[in-house]
Amino acid sequence: MDISVVNALPYEDFVNIFGNVVEKCPLITAAVWTRRPFTSLNALEAAINEFIDALPESGKEGILRCHPDLAGKHLHSGALTRESQEEQTRVGMDALSSAEASQMARLNAEYKGRFGFPFVICARMNDKVTILRELSERCRNERAAERARGIAEVKKICRLRLQGLTLSDATNKL
């Protein structure tokens, strides 16, 4: 989708198409729509990132809370967004061994208990072994550092989702 097509989209269409580039946060897309015209996909992405960066820390944590647990109950019940379902399935979160699933559930609970928001990582840029290792390691971070790390991962996810919506040859480019 060419940037001129993006810029010409009516508000409702823009939000319907791009409303989940940041997981379950269509408000971000709605707010960014007013910044049109965008000169490029990178400019659209920058506008989203600037909106996120301008949020107070509580708002950033709210964005993180909109993300599902990796390999959590919503993956198997089909309650994830289409994008999250595809991303988690692609990396094998739906096919963990019982030991991996148990480890993931334990670490997800530990992480959420420590930080108050779920672990966020760009699944499309990792494999399940790396995700499990990162989850274990990141449980030891300080809250502010982990909030910043989670938001950095949200931005990676956003970039890949934007590319998937606008570029025909996009897979895992960053």
Side-chain angles (χ1 to χ4, degrees), residues 126-139:
N126 292 282
D127 58 28
K128 68 180 180 179
V129 172
T130 305
I131 290 170
L132 280 163
R133 184 182 68 243
E134 284 286 315
L135 177 52
S136 178
E137 290 173 4
R138 286 172 52 188
C139 279

Side-chain angles (χ1 to χ4, degrees), residues 25-165:
C25 292
L27 176 65
I28 294 172
T29 307
V32 166
W33 179 82
T34 63
R35 297 186 186 181
R36 294 170 311 126
F38 303 105
T39 58
S40 65
L41 174 62
N42 288 338
L44 170 57
E45 178 188 0
I48 292 170
N49 289 344
E50 288 165 12
F51 183 91
I52 292 170
D53 291 341
L55 291 171
E57 299 308 310
S58 61
K60 292 173 184 167
E61 287 186 11
I63 289 172
L64 296 174
R65 285 188 196 99
C66 288
H67 283 262
D69 287 342
L70 286 169
K73 63 183 178 187
H74 296 300
L75 175 63
H76 299 289
S77 70
L80 294 179
T81 63
R82 179 184 50 78
E83 296 88 347
S84 285
Q85 185 79 34
E86 289 172 5
E87 291 158 354
Q88 289 199 36
T89 301
R90 182 181 293 164
V91 77
M93 291 289 111
D94 62 333
L96 297 176
S97 69
S98 60
E100 290 168 330
S102 177
Q103 180 186 18
M104 183 67 79
R106 181 182 55 75
L107 288 170
N108 274 332
E110 179 183 337
Y111 185 96
K112 232 186 220 177
R114 177 167 168 82
F115 300 113
F117 47 82
F119 172 74
V120 177
I121 190 168
C122 183
R124 286 171 56 185
M125 297 181 68
N126 292 282
D127 58 28
K128 68 180 180 179
V129 172
T130 305
I131 290 170
L132 280 163
R133 184 182 68 243
E134 284 286 315
L135 177 52
S136 178
E137 290 173 4
R138 286 172 52 188
C139 279
R140 295 180 284 233
N141 284 347
E142 294 299 320
R143 184 182 185 93
E146 193 51 33
R147 182 177 45 243
R149 178 69 186 273
I151 290 297
E153 294 295 320
V154 165
K155 291 176 180 178
K156 290 177 189 176
I157 295 164
C158 175
R159 179 179 185 87
L160 291 174
R161 288 180 179 183
L162 280 171
Q163 288 177 347
L165 291 167

